[in-house]
Amino acid sequence: MTAQSSRFILICSGKGGVGKTTLTANLGIALARQGARTAVLDADFGLRNLDLLLGLENRIVYTAQEVLADSCRLEQALVKHKQQPNLALLPAGNPRMLEWLKPEDMRKIAAMVGEHFDYVLIDAPAGIEGGFRNAMAAAQEAIVVTTPEVSAVRDADRVIGLLNSEGVKPIQLVLNRVRPKMMASQEMLAVDDVTDILALPLLGLVLEDEQVIVSTNRGEPLTLGEAGSPAARAYLNVARRLLGEDVPLIDPSQERRGLRARIGRLMQTKIF
Amino acid sequence: MNAVVVPPGWDGGPGWLVLPSPEGAATAVELVERALDEASLLADAPLPMGLGLAAAGWQLGVTQLRAVTERLAQSGVTLVALCSDDPRSRVAAAAIGLQTSPPLPQRPAGAQPPGPAGGPGLALQRGTLRSGDHLEVEGSVLVLGDVNPGACVRAGGHVLVWGRLRGIAHAGCQGDTEARIVALQLRPLQLRIADAVARGPEDSPPAGMAEQASLVEGEIRLDPAQPCWPLAARA
């Protein structure tokens, strides 16, 4: 596979804590499960934790820093996932690396990784300063993650403006931590409110799910297991849409009816 | 023709590097490079407040502006501002953190600010202005797209938005009290016309009706938009 045919996707949000790294980890696993050779690249050098989410922290020997300094080969720095050999992580270097890393370095690293993989997911840091600009330099397309909150949407809008001015496209949207009940009672921004402002195609809707916290702490992304929880299903659907499959979006107003209704719907689909 | 350096004035602002109008094949970066090679130009002028780029007639994108910034940084000069008559260049400059301004008006001191019909014409902004974008034009401006919350449009004349206005709009920012703000959907955070300021309405807008804001007896009033083009009406 050559660099031309691999896809470099930036995962960014502007605001912190909306789920960039969680999406990167889960999407990486989900893509790998579908058979795509996937690399996840931690561009959050200051506060790296993609390795934690993937449960690979104790396997890191070399980092992007050593690869750039030519003190190791790329293959040595790439950490293969335990259960999903299709997925590899390129860990970020020392936090001090931020000061000397340049957009060209990022491009160089990404091009090297792109020679071996179909998908390169770049986990951007929060904010719009140097770290984010470095991450953006290596990307061809982007996924903007946001939550249905005014501040997250505002920051996402700013980021989309920057991506536009750098010519990164297509830009797609993942709306994270959706609470159908709060949306129904209009205590939370509706899906339409968000897409109205951001004017981006919606790649996925991820429901608020306690299992995400459990899986983060364990270092086992939700998409590794059977798609039992709502968030796991959403992440898998995002991966399938990225691969070009036409998967309909969930409707939050239908999701809020509770467990009983959901079981009922499941039975219906089985019977008819 | 080569670029010219205007040293900072007594008021302590930035010095200016004035590009000639774009003729021939030279790009902005090449012209800046040529100016830097004539070392005496920049070396003699102390630039404590950095350097501004005056680029009348140029259309510069983020990539070009960043290249210029980097080239100047190599010589120890910080680019802080862009003065351009092209609104798109100013939006690009604002996006990478430069101060932006339209070209200095070249009218005699004490003259009346030009009205939208008599003064500079209509600037066209294609595409949505997103949060953090700041567009400022001398004449009137027509935005083809939305003005999102967190974005700001300022115009010497009218502000016309073919889309939803949800950010901040300032019409007649040089004191023209006849200026109007017209949008297909007028739900701004804040409206300003000349010196008057108003908060946007909070109820949801009437569907499918363009609205306008104008200054009536010193207060900003919202009405259904008049079915005529404001620029033509005053010509």
Side-chain angles (χ1 to χ4, degrees):
Chain A
M1 190 65 63
T2 57
Q4 281 82 31
S5 54
S6 39
R7 288 172 71 178
F8 298 86
I9 306 175
L10 180 73
I11 295 174
C12 57
S13 68
K15 188 175 178 295
V18 297
K20 288 179 293 298
T21 309
T22 313
L23 177 70
T24 313
N26 280 290
L27 194 54
I29 296 274
L31 285 169
R33 282 185 67 166
Q34 305 268 340
R37 291 176 303 164
T38 310
V40 288
L41 218 154
D42 196 348
D44 196 348
F45 292 95
L47 302 161
R48 69 177 215 197
N49 44 29
L50 186 55
D51 46 344
L52 285 177
L53 262 68
L54 287 166
L56 299 174
E57 195 189 13
N58 51 7
R59 297 179 175 222
I60 294 174
V61 183
Y62 297 108
T63 66
Q65 193 172 13
E66 279 88 25
V67 179
L68 273 173
D70 272 334
S71 51
C72 80
R73 282 174 293 114
L74 177 68
E75 292 74 27
Q76 291 175 295
L78 285 170
V79 187
K80 247 187 202 170
H81 194 264
K82 291 167 281 190
Q83 286 118 301
Q84 274 302 328
N86 272 340
L87 180 78
L89 162 78
L90 183 65
N94 192 308
R96 268 175 291 168
M97 187 172 176
L98 256 185
E99 286 148 31
W100 59 266
L101 187 91
K102 296 211 167 56
E104 297 88 74
D105 299 324
M106 202 65 202
R107 267 184 225 124
K108 194 173 139 200
I109 279 279
M112 285 165 79
V113 176
E115 285 175 21
H116 305 274
F117 294 93
D118 307 324
Y119 285 82
V120 180
L121 305 180
I122 304 161
D123 182 25
I128 52 170
E129 287 80 32
F132 169 71
R133 289 181 187 282
N134 282 339
M136 180 162 63
Q140 288 162 351
E141 50 186 300
I143 297 175
V144 174
V145 189
T146 188
T147 59
E149 288 164 73
V150 180
S151 56
V153 172
R154 186 70 62 91
D155 293 358
D157 196 36
R158 180 95 178 90
V159 162
I160 296 161
L162 293 172
L163 290 168
N164 278 336
S165 67
E166 287 288 325
V168 176
K169 65 181 172 181
I171 309 173
Q172 302 182 86
L173 185 69
V174 168
L175 192 54
N176 205 1
R177 310 192 65 168
V178 173
R179 294 172 184 236
K181 259 190 190 159
M182 289 184 75
M183 269 191 184
S185 57
Q186 300 191 333
E187 291 168 306
M188 191 173 234
L189 286 178
V191 178
D192 288 347
D193 295 338
V194 177
T195 50
D196 249 18
I197 291 181
L198 300 182
L200 290 185
L202 204 52
L203 184 65
L205 268 176
V206 184
L207 298 187
E208 174 88 41
D209 186 347
E210 288 175 358
Q211 290 302 313
V212 173
I213 300 172
V214 178
S215 83
T216 302
N217 291 341
R218 271 202 213 135
E220 292 169 8
L222 278 178
T223 42
L224 260 184
E226 286 313 305
S229 77
R233 258 179 295 149
Y235 287 130
L236 284 169
N237 285 344
V238 170
R240 286 165 61 191
R241 286 187 201 108
L242 259 189
L243 288 163
E245 248 181 271
D246 186 20
V247 188
L249 282 166
I250 54 158
D251 180 358
S253 61
Q254 294 299 310
E255 286 292 324
R256 74 193 168 88
R257 302 255 170 90
L259 193 62
R260 197 178 291 171
R262 231 179 286 165
I263 293 170
R265 273 206 311 283
L266 256 178
M267 285 167 68
Q268 261 186 1
T269 48
K270 286 231 173 95
I271 293 166
F272 301 109
Chain B
M1 224 174 112
N2 280 341
V4 187
V5 175
V6 181
W10 52 269
D11 53 347
W16 289 92
L17 182 65
V18 185
L19 293 185
S21 49
E23 284 162 12
T27 65
V29 187
E30 283 163 5
L31 285 169
V32 169
E33 220 154 67
R34 241 181 268 167
L36 285 169
D37 287 340
E38 293 172 34
S40 60
L41 275 182
L42 286 172
D44 291 351
L47 296 165
M49 303 298 285
L51 187 73
L53 187 69
W58 288 83
Q59 198 198 315
L60 299 168
V62 170
T63 334
Q64 287 148 303
L65 285 169
R66 197 163 283 155
V68 169
T69 312
E70 277 165 19
R71 185 63 192 82
L72 285 169
Q74 284 166 19
S75 307
V77 181
T78 320
L79 187 66
V80 293
L82 176 83
C83 173
S84 166
D85 52 355
D86 175 39
R88 272 167 295 181
S89 304
R90 294 207 296 273
V91 169
I96 64 168
L98 300 179
Q99 286 178 19
T100 58
S101 60
L104 299 174
Q106 291 177 344
R107 54 170 183 268
Q112 285 294 311
L122 178 74
L124 195 61
Q125 157 70 28
R126 288 172 199 274
T128 293
L129 288 173
R130 294 188 178 270
S131 173
D133 287 341
H134 194 113
L135 177 65
E136 187 166 346
V137 301
E138 215 181 333
S140 296
V141 63
L142 171 61
V143 180
L144 297 178
D146 297 346
V147 177
N148 276 357
C152 177
V153 198
R154 287 162 63 89
H158 305 297
V159 174
L160 314 161
V161 181
W162 189 264
R164 288 172 286 216
L165 172 57
R166 288 180 290 207
I168 295 176
H170 190 175
C173 61
Q174 282 151 13
D176 181 1
T177 53
E178 296 292 303
R180 283 195 265 160
I181 300 171
V182 186
L184 293 189
Q185 199 190 89
L186 196 62
R187 283 298 171 275
L189 289 175
Q190 204 183 76
L191 284 175
R192 300 181 200 167
I193 297 177
D195 296 328
V197 181
R199 267 176 297 142
E202 272 162 26
D203 51 329
S204 59
M209 214 154 64
E211 288 178 285
Q212 71 166 8
S214 55
L215 209 54
V216 179
E217 286 160 9
E219 282 186 33
I220 294 178
R221 214 174 75 181
L222 296 192
D223 301 294
Q226 289 171 14
C228 63
W229 190 247
L231 293 172
R234 312 182 82 217

